[in-house]
Amino acid sequence: MIRASRRLVTVVAAVLGLAGCSAADRAVLLAPPCRAGAGAPQPVEPVSGTVYAWKPHFAAAQEGGAGIGGAGPEVVPGWSDVVSLASSGFTTYAVRADGTVWVYGLGHLGSLGDGELARHSAPAPQQVPGISDARSVHVVGSAAFVVRADGTVLAWGEGLLAHGGTRDSVRDHVGSPRPVDGLTGVHAIAPGALTALALRTDGTVAGWGINLTDVLGDRADTSLTTVDGVSGVVSLASAGGAVVAASAEGGVCAWGNNAHGLLGVTPTGGQTGRPVEVAGLVDVVQVAGGSDVAYARDRHGGVWAWGRGAAGALGDGQAGDHVSAVPTRVADLPPARWIGATGLTGYAVDADGGLWAWGSGAAIGRYAAGSALTPVRIPLPGPVLAVSGSHALVAAPA
């Protein structure tokens, strides 16, 4: 009887709570939960290539600038035999096939990993000391993260993210690689701005950092945690105020802020730390995220977009700032084998290694002065493996 009374009180409280919410809040709270899944990301055999840049950092240094300059695409000197690439826009990192990590660009609050916190530049690639077993490199804000062969993570750079989330570390910065305590079994780190999110090899998601939009779940602190309510994840992406994840079953889940419809819920608005299912997506094998815009690639090569559509980011031909909470297939694209995003720019690599891009034009070569409202083909001297910022990893032509 007591238990029944407690359940009744809980139900009544929930109903009263919903009654006081906006329509957007109610829609998010009542959205279908993410379905529990079994599965995990599969190891990928690394393929090496050469790094090209549309806006190389060394051009800016030659011109006396502090940021990015040049026209590209140009080869980044010495960056061949590269298996992983990541760029913050001002600092770019590469992992070579021998497990070493290299960096060039702007050094700020330790971002070059050379022990120096003061602002300085590395116009030519230099090796990050002390790493010989790197598998991949990732960027969150101005912090760099390296996933090692044993699944542990090294980090350096700005503030909270490089320390693994303890409150005492907010005022500190890290100039040299150091382990992220308590984080093991990592497959990859999702690129982002304020929050670090790790996809583990068992298909679970761990995170730490800023939690203003509940991307770490419904919790107050910023320390390392496992995100509840999502499992069997094979691909993970931060999309600004929300997180999107593809499951082994082919569905997509999202959590965080729904102001731009990233949770796939209408009316837009509200937020939740509870992962919900994004309707209309099936057979998805990869997700990517930009500035409040998300992309999904299905096993047939179709690319889907939803969220903020400013400057053509949805690839729908519209330049105005608009929102779509319904994933819509990006037209005029051949079947894709890889997708990526930077800011309001989306990327797709077709079966032959051809690179396609759409959006703000901030990182798509000759379109940098404007926007590509629908996908355009970006010429490069070989099959593209991946893109990060204004840099592309290109395999040798067959």
Side-chain angles (χ1 to χ4, degrees), residues 48-241:
S48 62
T50 299
V51 177
Y52 286 77
W54 293 294
K55 299 179 180 179
H57 306 311
F58 55 79
Q62 292 167 357
E63 296 164 7
I68 303 174
E74 300 179 52
V75 174
V76 177
W79 274 13
S80 58
D81 206 24
V82 169
V83 298
S84 180
L85 175 71
S87 181
S88 69
F90 297 95
T91 314
T92 301
Y93 308 85
V95 174
R96 302 189 70 175
D98 62 3
T100 58
V101 179
W102 296 73
V103 60
Y104 86 118
L106 177 66
H108 179 60
L109 300 175
S111 62
L112 292 177
D114 56 5
E116 178 61 59
L117 297 180
R119 187 183 180 95
H120 63 299
S121 66
Q126 61 189 36
Q127 187 173 351
V128 178
I131 307 175
S132 60
D133 60 350
R135 191 174 70 213
S136 61
V137 62
H138 313 268
V139 169
V140 179
S142 295
F145 295 87
V146 164
V147 179
R148 306 169 76 181
D150 64 358
T152 60
V153 176
L154 297 172
W156 64 93
E158 185 176 359
L160 180 68
L161 297 177
H163 282 260
T166 58
R167 288 187 178 277
D168 290 342
S169 68
V170 174
R171 65 181 183 276
D172 297 331
H173 308 284
V174 178
S176 301
R178 63 189 299 176
V180 178
D181 295 335
L183 190 61
T184 59
V186 172
H187 175 77
I189 305 287
L194 299 172
T195 309
L197 294 152
L199 173 57
R200 293 192 181 110
T201 54
D202 64 359
T204 60
V205 176
W208 66 100
I210 304 302
N211 194 36
L212 292 176
T213 57
D214 290 340
V215 290
L216 298 179
D218 185 14
R219 58 200 305 271
D221 71 27
T222 60
S223 59
L224 178 66
T225 186
T226 297
V227 177
D228 293 330
V230 63
S231 59
V233 175
V234 298
S235 181
L236 181 72
S238 173

